[in-house]
Amino acid sequence: MSTEANPKSVAGGFSPREIVSELDRYIVGQAKAKRAVAVALRNRWRRQAVAPELRDEIMPKNIIMIGPTGVGKTEIARRLAKLAQAPFVKVEASKFTEVGYVGRDVESIIRDLAELAIAMVRDEQRARIEVRAREAAEERLIALLMQAQAAQLPAASSGRGPFVVSSHGTVQKPDALSSDPGALRAKLRAGALDDESVELELSDMGSPMVSIFGGGHGMDDMEMQLKDMLGQLPGMRGKKQRRNVKVKDARRLLEDEEAQKLIDMDAVKREAIERTEQAGIVFLDEIDKIAGSRAAQGPDVSREGVQRDLLPIVEGSTVNTKYGPIKTDHILFIAAGAFHVSSVSDLIPELQGRFPIRVELEPLETHDFVRILREPKNALTRQYAALLGAEGIELSFTDAAIEAIAEYAASANRRAENIGARRLHTVMEALLEELSFTASELSDRTIVLDAADVHRRLAPIMADQDLAKFIL
């Protein structure tokens, strides 16, 4: 049986080539890793076009990225989150502990993913009903303003029937704004009433304040569950509160309350669970920190336990959340680690088998640093130029200056620990420290940094081994 469905129409997303092209705008090199995540992301969408009887049999091909720090593993995850248009959570494996130890259990990963999915779907529904919520809030606000003006009329003047006698003795009809909602609406939309005060009666939709003293790290999930449980008790939620606020603030508060009334939370939960199960992505960073020798003593006693706890989630299980049970069979897991001390083979074999795609990221050299300083949309040179532009300084770098900065960064990595592209941050700070300090005194100037400026500032630091160790 074949299915003539267009994956792009099903997902409305990017092709693998487009995903790689988008990642190229921010990340230099690492073509293998980009291609792997692009194919994995696209396969999420392709699976939706497969016939239902085969769709459930197609399991995600989990990825493990191996490479030294600072080569782009985490940055790929950050950019992928924006492209995914799906529930995406990034966690550090080293923050989780085996059941029975103080710390977070691995099932909280899926609970966090569900929370993100709920927020995503709720925001989408909020965008769809925003106009209706705004109109309803406006009507409520106009009614409140008319009531407030009607209450002030007897104090401001005296009159009978439909006429009002002012303090000067003139007879006139009541204030037009009190009897004409259209005029009041026009003033409200024009912002003429923003500084007026109005009394609101709002429902308290917040959760009760709960804190577990002495619980320490790992008790946050229990606190959230207690808050939700107490919030369901009679009288704990939905109480009315009276607040005296400005009209501009009242409009926002009323819009939020009206939007909450219009959003179908049952539909939000159903859609969020579906998205989490079918399109959820988990990025497990620092997975090498839970790999190691299988010694049953010291800190290693918990490492293998974390791997065993991760295994059922990665291979497919059901995790109970406050929104309902979530199956993890089709959630995509992307793991990353430097693996300086350990290797992938130090993970338990069952977990290794759940990450069939392995990608090695290359260490960065001088020519990579040159590209990083020139090509990305968010290059450090552009960032510093924009920061100093706020002081009226037009900062630019010659090609020779960029090459010199890259060489100093590569040299510092060779002398000390290789921290990859993060070394560029320390080198740029050392180079521009004096200019950043005096920038406010040098406004409306154009400064062009060349290779001589770079050498003059950085050469003395590199010449002193101890100084270079602590500064660069």
Side-chain angles (χ1 to χ4, degrees):
M1 178 179 179
S2 62
T3 304
E4 297 296 333
N6 185 353
K8 188 142 188 157
S9 65
V10 172
F14 297 105
S15 69
R17 194 177 301 278
E18 290 170 335
I19 294 171
V20 171
S21 177
E22 186 67 20
L23 293 175
D24 283 340
R25 297 174 61 193
Y26 300 95
I27 303 161
V28 169
Q30 313 304 353
K32 291 181 180 178
K34 292 174 183 175
R35 288 172 66 93
V37 298
V39 170
L41 190 59
R42 186 62 179 181
N43 280 340
R44 315 289 289 158
W45 300 332
R46 289 168 177 161
R47 179 176 164 272
Q48 301 303 317
V50 175
E53 59 268 19
L54 186 59
R55 185 184 306 159
D56 290 341
E57 302 300 325
I58 300 177
M59 297 300 175
K61 305 300 184 291
N62 298 324
I63 303 169
I64 185 164
M65 295 192 292
I66 307 163
T69 183
V71 297
K73 299 187 301 294
T74 305
E75 188 66 14
I76 287 175
R78 288 181 58 235
R79 299 300 168 184
L80 189 65
K82 296 182 179 181
L83 293 173
Q85 298 177 342
F88 183 104
V89 64
K90 175 186 174 294
V91 296
E92 293 184 10
S94 56
K95 289 187 176 180
F96 298 94
T97 59
E98 182 181 2
V99 174
Y101 288 79
V102 176
R104 300 190 69 188
D105 66 279
V106 295
E107 289 190 351
S108 63
I109 298 172
I110 307 303
R111 290 194 286 268
D112 291 343
L113 194 63
E115 291 286 351
L116 290 171
I118 288 286
M120 178 185 295
V121 178
R122 186 170 54 225
D123 290 344
E124 291 175 2
Q125 283 212 9
R126 171 70 183 263
R128 287 197 289 267
I129 53 92
E130 188 174 5
V131 174
R132 292 167 57 195
R134 188 184 301 119
E135 291 173 352
E138 187 178 82
E139 293 299 327
R140 285 182 61 183
L141 193 53
I142 290 172
L144 288 170
L145 290 170
M146 292 179 66
Q147 290 175 8
Q149 288 187 354
Q152 293 174 359
L153 282 175
S157 57
S158 60
R160 294 183 179 180
F163 299 101
V164 173
V165 180
S166 69
S167 57
H168 301 290
T170 57
V171 179
Q172 58 185 13
K173 288 185 176 292
D175 189 351
L177 289 180
S178 302
S179 56
D180 184 4
L184 192 59
R185 181 179 286 104
K187 281 199 169 187
L188 184 63
R189 292 178 176 177
L193 304 175
D194 283 354
D195 293 328
E196 298 287 334
S197 294
V198 65
E199 188 178 37
L200 294 181
E201 188 179 65
L202 298 171
S203 298
D204 181 15
M205 302 304 294
S207 298
M209 292 297 294
V210 177
S211 180
I212 300 177
F213 293 98
H217 182 66
M219 303 300 289
D220 45 351
D221 291 330
M222 186 179 294
E223 284 189 9
M224 291 178 61
Q225 292 171 10
L226 282 174
K227 286 181 182 180
D228 293 331
M229 181 182 68
L230 292 175
Q232 303 302 320
L233 295 177
M236 294 298 293
R237 184 176 293 189
K239 296 183 295 184
K240 297 292 185 180
Q241 286 187 341
R242 286 191 171 275
R243 296 177 59 182
N244 203 352
V245 296
K246 299 288 187 183
V247 167
K248 59 182 179 182
D249 297 324
R251 189 202 303 265
R252 175 179 53 82
L253 293 170
L254 289 172
E255 285 180 8
D256 290 342
E257 189 173 86
E258 291 298 324
Q260 289 294 330
K261 295 178 183 177
L262 293 171
I263 292 175
D264 183 355
M265 283 308 298
D266 290 334
V268 168
K269 291 177 184 178
R270 289 193 299 271
E271 174 68 17
I273 290 176
E274 178 72 13
R275 287 197 193 182
T276 303
E277 292 181 341
Q278 302 301 324
I281 302 175
V282 174
F283 187 87
L284 279 170
D285 205 2
E286 308 289 356
I287 196 171
D288 57 312
K289 302 302 186 294
I290 62 170
S293 60
R294 294 179 176 82
Q297 59 183 1
D300 288 339
V301 72
S302 179
R303 292 182 182 178
E304 189 172 333
V306 176
Q307 296 180 54
R308 287 195 301 268
D309 291 344
L310 274 173
L311 182 60
I313 293 179
V314 175
E315 67 182 0
S317 63
T318 301
V319 176
N320 289 318
T321 71
K322 64 182 180 181
Y323 304 111
I326 292 179
K327 296 180 179 179
T328 66
D329 302 68
H330 297 100
I331 293 177
L332 174 66
F333 288 85
I334 302 175
F339 291 99
H340 286 309
V341 179
S342 58
S343 65
V344 177
S345 60
D346 290 325
L347 295 170
I348 60 176
E350 298 88 347
L351 192 60
Q352 292 181 47
R354 296 299 172 181
F355 289 88
I357 301 176
R358 299 183 186 180
V359 181
E360 290 195 21
L361 283 78
E362 300 296 329
L364 301 177
E365 302 296 340
T366 304
H367 65 278
D368 296 311
F369 290 146
V370 172
R371 292 184 60 197
I372 290 171
L373 291 171
R374 283 178 179 165
E375 297 178 12
K377 187 177 179 181
N378 60 337
L380 278 178
T381 50
R382 292 189 176 97
Q383 293 181 28
Y384 279 99
L387 286 173
L388 293 174
E391 301 279 5
I393 294 177
E394 187 177 340
L395 176 66
S396 61
F397 300 82
T398 65
D399 290 342
I402 289 177
E403 291 172 1
I405 294 169
E407 182 56 46
Y408 277 112
S411 177
N413 274 344
R414 287 191 295 268
R415 290 188 182 187
E417 290 289 334
N418 187 350
I419 60 173
R422 294 188 177 95
R423 185 71 67 183
L424 289 172
H425 291 269
T426 60
V427 172
M428 291 290 287
E429 280 295 323
L431 173 64
L432 298 174
E433 179 187 11
E434 183 65 26
L435 180 58
S436 297
F437 185 79
T438 60
S440 58
E441 305 164 9
L442 306 172
S443 57
D444 300 325
R445 291 183 59 176
T446 299
I447 297 176
V448 180
L449 292 180
D450 56 20
D453 297 319
V454 176
H455 292 308
R456 183 170 58 253
R457 181 65 183 165
L458 297 180
I461 299 175
M462 291 296 293
D464 189 329
Q465 295 283 349
D466 294 332
L467 193 60
K469 180 179 179 181
F470 289 104
I471 294 182
L472 298 181

